[in-house]
Amino acid sequence: GNPALTEPRWQTILPDEAATEAFGKWLAERVQRGDILLLYGDLGAGKTTLVRGLARSFGYTGRVTSPTFTLVHEYEGQVPIYHFDLYRLDEPDHVWEIGWADYLRGEGILCIEWPERLGSLLPEEALTIRLSHLEESPCSEAGDPVIDGRLVEVTGRGEHSEALVKEWKATCMS
Ligand code: ADP
Ligand code: MG
């Protein structure tokens, strides 16, 4: 069958930038070394903001920006964060040149912006996080407050990621 239909799924609204960063911090308390976070979403969706929250939570105080040209940034905290932005990766196989095999050894947490660029190298077991802009209601009228939040949807594939999403579903719905 189609695994996308059976993966546990959980979603929430992030009303502002602080909420995206807080969500990254919340995730940091629940993920472990070797976990892979696939961060999908258009330019400006909030992917880097989420990674910033995560890195801050592990005690990293330096700059957290999209590694657009170098493809990867490493943040050393209690747990290392490997932050990828693969927007400019034109061939999936080029990730081997930046040490992909080492990153997959499981010593840190991998956060990957534009994971779709990995093609068939996309890790099978991961937390998939999709960020999108909230859409304006067709019923909204002139003068209504402007909506500037994000929707985040999380799915898990693989034993550990599936267990995490199921647990969040259970705790957040009770
Ligand atoms: P990406 O890495 O996906 O391109 P960024 O994390 O750089 O996106 O964020 C782009 C912009 O969106 C930033 O100005 C950030 O402050 C803003 N932003 C992040 N999360 C939210 C949110 N939940 N609501 C509104 N704005 C947000
Ligand atoms: Mg980014």
Side-chain angles (χ1 to χ4, degrees), residues 7 24 34 49 51 54 62 71 77 80 89 94 103 107 111 116 121 131 133 135 155 170 173:
E7 284 168 16
T49 306
V51 177
L54 194 90
L71 303 182
L89 186 77
H94 288 168
Y103 291 115
E107 278 148 39
C111 298
E116 48 271 70
L121 294 177
L131 288 155
H133 286 73
E135 286 170 39
T155 55
M173 280 162 58

Side-chain angles (χ1 to χ4, degrees), residues 4-170:
L5 299 176
T6 55
E7 284 168 16
R9 176 180 303 270
W10 177 74
Q11 63 177 32
T12 193
I13 284 173
L14 304 168
D16 53 25
E17 177 183 13
T20 305
E21 201 167 322
F23 182 66
K25 292 185 172 166
W26 185 89
L27 280 174
E29 287 163 20
R30 287 155 178 88
V31 293
Q32 63 189 32
R33 283 174 200 269
D35 280 349
I36 301 176
L37 278 56
L38 305 175
L39 299 163
Y40 290 89
D42 291 340
L43 202 71
K47 304 179 293 296
T48 299
T49 306
L50 189 154
V51 177
R52 184 174 304 122
L54 194 90
R56 292 275 178 268
S57 205
F58 288 113
Y60 179 78
T61 53
R63 278 165 59 87
V64 174
T65 54
S66 266
T68 312
F69 294 98
T70 55
L71 303 182
V72 60
H73 283 161
E74 300 187 8
Y75 309 130
E76 292 298 333
Q78 289 97 355
V79 176
I81 307 293
Y82 304 126
H83 179 196
F84 295 85
D85 179 345
L86 303 180
Y87 188 74
R88 288 177 183 271
L89 186 77
D90 30 51
E91 267 287 326
D93 273 336
H94 288 168
V95 288
W96 300 113
E97 293 158 28
I98 56 162
W100 188 237
D102 294 328
Y103 291 115
L104 289 177
R105 279 209 309 253
E107 278 148 39
I109 295 164
L110 269 64
C111 298
I112 309 172
E113 298 190 36
W114 298 98
E116 48 271 70
R117 296 288 190 272
L118 286 168
S120 61
L121 294 177
L122 191 75
E124 296 233 324
E125 305 202 343
L127 274 178
T128 293
I129 300 175
R130 292 177 196 278
L131 288 155
S132 53
H133 286 73
L134 289 175
E135 286 170 39
E136 191 89 32
S137 157
C139 316
S140 65
E141 291 170 22
D144 283 355
V146 177
I147 300 173
D148 187 32
R150 305 287 189 267
L151 174 70
V152 61
E153 297 173 84
V154 186
T155 55
R157 169 107 54 108
E159 204 176 327
H160 178 60
S161 296
E162 286 187 26
L164 282 177
V165 179
K166 279 182 187 157
E167 184 190 314
W168 301 341
K169 256 183 111 92

